[in-house]
Amino acid sequence: MQIDPLSDSRIAEHGFRLERRRLVQLLWVILASLSLVLALSVADGAWTSAACEGAAAAVMLLALWLASVGRVPLAAHLMLLTLTVLTSAMIFRSQGLRDEAVCAIPALMVFSAMFGSRKVFLAVLVTLFAMLATIAAANIRGWHANPVGPVTWGSLANLLVVLSATAFFVWLMASDLRLALSRLEVENGRIRESFTRIDLLAHHDALTGLPNRLLARDRFAQALALAQRQHTPVALLFLDLDNFKDVNDSLGHAAGDLLLREVARRLQRAVRACDTVSRHGGDEFLVIMGDLGEQTAIAATAVKIMEQLAVPFQVLGMELSATCSLGISVYPQDGAEFDTLLKHADMAMYHAKDAGRNTFSFYDVEINTSVIDHLHLISGIRAALARQQFKLHYQPQFDLRSGLVVGAEALIRWRHPELGMIPPAKFIAVAERSGLINEIGTWVLNEACRQAKAWQNAGLLDLVVAVNLSPVQFRRGDIERDILQALAQAELAPTSIELELTESLLIAEAGHLGPLLSRLRQRGIRLSIDDFGTGYSNLGYLRRFEVERLKIDQSFVRRMTVDGHDEGIVRAIIQMAHSLKLEAVAEGVEDAATLARLIELGCEFGQGYHWSPAVPPDEFFEFVQARQGLDRAGHRRSA
């Protein structure tokens, strides 16, 4: 319901009428109360009290006449003065501080607050306080005595009259307050609706309801600010419908408008909730993509948009097609400002049109080629999983003091039939972004457990196999089930497996990760933090999680004998681990000097090229046999 706003003069007039109506009501109640008290005084023969109450009633009649003719302030002041004098006289002449007239003091405070100014309120308050103090002092000093009479039906009647009058006006005040709050809430709602409507009209396209250029520019500024803090890219996609002019010319603008609305809906379905789709004008749209880890997500979104628009549209009973040409520019390499990126995306869009339409193009041709390569890589990962092209190699882990092999880290390898050996650094990140890491991670867990059991059956009983887990696997929610299934299928004891977690995972998923890791530790599964020193590296989360080992990142270990700064970092990590009763594992040990220095610093375990790179399972078995002096049956050879 729409409510017309009240002008200042109308509000003032409304308030004056309400104040006068309430004052008249109050005066009538006071007159009625005085009449009852006067009747009781006459009945009791208290002629002095009756005279005072009669005089007060006459003054109230005068105040009532003044209020009726519009002289509300004068009537209110006259009422307050009369009630103050009458109350003081009744208290002084009767039972003093024990008199029922004292109950009228709170009502006087309410009346003076409602109908008087601050000065009038303070004057009434001070007068009543002074009167009460005087009566108390007079009684204490013996100057005046207020006898305490017996309780009579008359005193009860006086008390009930005073309380009834007070209660009536309190109820009126509460009603006024509720009414005022209700009107205020309705008015606030109307104002909020008005502002919402104004904001919608100012920042959204009237036809499609999408953000307009102004809001798109603001959303881009927000995405850019976040990207600058997180050092991530922001993409601006410029989309132009192919041959839209033919629709308008042949079917009319009404059909064109319907088509644009449907295009807007499909664009919103094709992007993430955090992305912004904007109508730039005519048949041109913008998509702003922030919070991007890698640029393959941009190409994937562009493909999804084209797939959405490739489905025919039903407009006015006719089937229409609406392909698009899409240009993409990316912050920071293509520009750092909205206008610059918009210009470059526009140029890329025309490049897509020149390439035959119904396609997309990046502003930078090299990026365009790279993204296409990434899409091919995703397809290749799916094929590798289906064709069993992935293999696990194992790098031995050593007890630095005894020199014995105590474990192995499982590292995935991909031998592509055409491209040869593809390093994990190239495909693991792509697999994480595409979600394929979940399938890869499950395969790695099963294969590592199977191999560990095979080595145990061959005599390598004390080896612990370490497996790297991706944060993406934990976010899926069923990682615990995958781990337990892999152990059960291999019939492997949980103590034979070590899970390597990243620092970023422990920080980002701290809320639900603690209970999960605790359950895994209770089963005997070992936990370690991989590449320690390259992430957050603080004691806070180390205390919360039941990890056993810190693996010092190889970037520090490799240079520790030639760079004092790196050695200091390694020393600090080892000391931190020991202070928390954790074991330290050094990665990237490549020479005897580094090994000797790690032993001096108290590092317990290590791995690296000084002993062996990651090798296939058979080579690892032979290496351990030779190193430990074991025969094929797993027995130590005699000297």
Side-chain angles (χ1 to χ4, degrees):
M1 180 179 67
Q2 297 295 326
I3 298 177
D4 294 332
L6 296 175
S7 64
D8 291 344
S9 60
R10 291 179 62 193
I11 293 173
E13 181 183 354
H14 175 76
F16 177 80
R17 289 201 305 267
L18 179 62
E19 183 180 30
R20 182 171 63 179
R21 184 168 67 252
R22 289 291 180 253
L23 180 59
V24 170
Q25 290 173 331
L26 176 62
L27 287 169
W28 277 115
V29 172
I30 293 173
L31 277 171
S33 302
L34 286 174
S35 299
L36 288 174
V37 173
L38 176 60
L40 291 171
S41 297
V42 171
D44 292 340
W47 301 109
T48 304
S49 297
C52 293
E53 292 155 358
V59 176
M60 292 301 158
L61 285 172
L62 175 60
L64 184 60
W65 175 79
L66 291 172
S68 65
V69 298
R71 302 183 68 179
V72 172
L74 180 58
H77 293 164
L78 186 60
M79 176 195 71
L80 292 172
L81 176 61
T82 303
L83 291 178
T84 302
V85 172
L86 178 62
T87 302
S88 301
M90 293 176 67
I91 293 173
F92 183 81
R93 290 188 66 258
S94 298
Q95 301 181 58
L97 300 184
R98 300 180 181 87
D99 193 85
E100 60 266 23
V102 174
C103 295
I105 292 177
L108 274 175
M109 296 295 96
V110 174
F111 300 159
S112 59
M114 289 295 297
F115 298 107
S117 63
R118 183 185 300 178
K119 291 182 179 179
V120 171
F121 176 79
L122 291 176
V124 172
L125 182 64
V126 170
T127 299
L128 291 172
F129 279 12
M131 178 269 296
L132 293 174
T134 301
I135 293 175
N139 279 270
I140 293 171
R141 294 292 186 180
W143 303 332
H144 174 74
N146 288 106
V148 179
V151 177
T152 65
W153 292 110
S155 61
L156 175 60
N158 289 335
L159 181 60
L160 292 177
V161 168
V162 172
L163 291 179
S164 298
T166 304
F168 175 75
F169 195 71
V170 168
W171 179 80
L172 288 179
M173 287 177 54
S175 298
D176 291 344
L177 180 59
R178 286 193 296 269
L179 180 61
L181 290 176
S182 177
R183 288 177 174 173
L184 180 61
E185 180 62 28
V186 172
E187 185 67 15
N188 285 340
R190 185 196 62 79
I191 293 173
R192 286 194 297 269
E193 290 177 359
S194 297
F195 278 120
T196 301
R197 181 61 179 168
I198 292 171
D199 182 76
L200 185 66
L201 293 174
H203 295 94
H204 290 79
D205 174 58
L207 176 63
T208 62
L210 294 176
N212 59 14
R213 297 186 192 184
L214 182 62
L215 184 55
R217 187 180 292 271
D218 182 69
R219 295 277 181 85
F220 177 84
Q222 296 176 23
L224 182 62
L226 179 63
Q228 289 173 339
R229 288 196 301 269
Q230 298 181 345
H231 304 290
T232 55
V234 177
L236 185 63
L237 284 63
F238 192 108
L239 182 150
D240 182 85
L241 296 180
D242 297 328
N243 304 316
F244 178 76
K245 185 175 182 297
D246 295 339
V247 175
N248 272 340
D249 292 345
S250 59
L251 301 178
H253 289 281
D257 289 347
L258 291 174
L259 178 59
L260 290 174
R261 291 194 190 101
E262 185 57 28
V263 167
R265 284 192 287 270
R266 293 195 187 183
L267 288 177
Q268 289 177 304
R269 290 199 298 265
V271 302
R272 303 171 301 172
C274 60
D275 297 333
T276 296
V277 179
S278 165
R279 187 185 179 201
H280 189 61
D283 61 335
E284 297 174 340
F285 296 85
L286 298 179
V287 178
I288 299 170
M289 299 182 64
D291 196 21
L292 294 169
E294 291 292 336
Q295 292 173 354
T296 51
I298 306 171
T301 299
V303 171
K304 192 172 182 180
I305 288 173
M306 290 189 294
E307 289 174 349
Q308 284 280 345
L309 299 185
V311 179
F313 294 83
Q314 296 295 328
V315 177
L316 298 178
M318 290 174 288
E319 188 176 277
L320 302 178
S321 61
T323 61
C324 72
S325 298
L326 215 162
I328 305 170
S329 60
V330 182
Y331 164 86
Q333 58 262 36
D334 298 334
E337 296 177 354
F338 179 81
D339 292 332
T340 302
L341 289 168
L342 181 62
K343 180 181 68 175
H344 290 166
D346 189 27
M347 294 171 62
M349 184 271 294
Y350 278 105
H351 182 271
K353 282 189 178 294
D354 293 338
R357 306 192 179 202
N358 193 25
T359 187
F360 68 91
S361 174
F362 282 83
Y363 174 70
D364 189 328
V365 177
E366 293 182 2
I367 294 178
N368 194 28
T369 303
S370 175
V371 170
I372 293 174
D373 289 343
H374 277 84
L375 292 176
H376 287 313
L377 194 58
I378 292 173
S379 177
I381 292 173
R382 290 193 177 96
L385 283 166
R387 299 169 185 170
Q388 299 181 346
Q389 294 175 359
F390 290 118
K391 304 295 179 184
L392 287 185
H393 287 194
Y394 299 87
Q395 186 171 41
Q397 293 181 346
F398 286 81
D399 184 313
L400 299 189
R401 294 195 178 276
S402 68
L404 295 176
V405 179
V406 295
E409 180 178 5
L411 299 169
I412 192 169
R413 297 291 184 263
W414 179 13
R415 185 173 296 279
H416 194 279
E418 299 174 358
L419 303 176
M421 188 66 73
I422 301 177
K426 185 173 182 180
F427 69 85
I428 288 296
V430 176
E432 288 182 328
R433 290 191 298 272
S434 64
L436 292 171
I437 193 65
N438 292 316
E439 297 178 53
I440 294 176
T442 300
W443 177 84
V444 170
L445 276 170
N446 283 283
E447 178 62 18
C449 290
R450 186 200 63 78
Q451 186 61 63
K453 184 64 176 180
W455 283 333
Q456 289 181 4
N457 293 337
L460 302 183
L461 301 178
D462 299 325
L463 290 182
V464 176
V465 177
V467 178
N468 291 278
L469 295 180
S470 166
V472 179
Q473 293 175 263
F474 282 88
R475 297 190 187 107
R476 188 176 58 172
D478 50 8
I479 183 65
E480 183 177 9
R481 184 199 64 190
D482 291 346
I483 295 170
L484 298 181
Q485 284 184 353
L487 291 169
Q489 289 176 4
E491 299 180 351
L492 182 69
T495 53
S496 299
I497 287 293
E498 177 179 309
L499 304 180
E500 296 189 0
L501 315 173
T502 63
E503 294 180 81
S504 59
L505 170 65
L506 297 178
I507 294 296
E509 308 295 333
H512 74 274
L513 196 59
L516 169 60
L517 297 185
S518 179
R519 292 194 299 271
L520 295 177
R521 284 289 298 118
Q522 290 173 4
R523 292 180 178 273
I525 296 172
R526 304 186 185 189
L527 304 174
S528 65
I529 301 177
D530 194 21
D531 299 333
F532 190 82
T534 60
Y536 298 90
S537 304
N538 67 76
L539 294 174
Y541 73 84
L542 292 178
R543 292 196 198 97
R544 295 199 300 271
F545 301 109
E546 300 181 35
V547 298
E548 293 182 277
R549 290 181 167 188
L550 298 184
K551 297 193 71 175
I552 308 169
D553 187 69
Q554 58 184 331
S555 61
F556 305 122
V557 176
R558 285 175 176 170
R559 293 180 50 82
M560 61 178 291
T561 57
V562 296
D563 190 322
H565 178 69
D566 286 341
E567 181 180 336
I569 293 176
V570 173
R571 182 191 299 110
I573 294 175
I574 293 172
Q575 291 174 350
M576 179 189 297
H578 292 167
S579 67
L580 295 171
K581 295 182 174 53
L582 306 178
E583 297 171 344
V585 183
E587 298 180 298
V589 181
E590 296 188 352
D591 53 56
T594 301
L595 173 60
R597 186 60 182 139
L598 287 168
I599 294 174
E600 292 175 3
L601 294 176
C603 184
E604 293 92 345
F605 303 97
Q607 64 187 79
Y609 281 21
H610 176 64
W611 297 285
S612 170
V615 295
D618 291 344
E619 293 183 31
F620 178 88
F621 183 78
E622 293 174 358
F623 175 86
V624 175
Q625 279 190 315
R627 187 81 186 186
Q628 312 287 65
L630 301 178
D631 58 23
R632 282 286 179 179
H635 302 102
R636 186 172 298 279
R637 297 189 182 95
S638 58

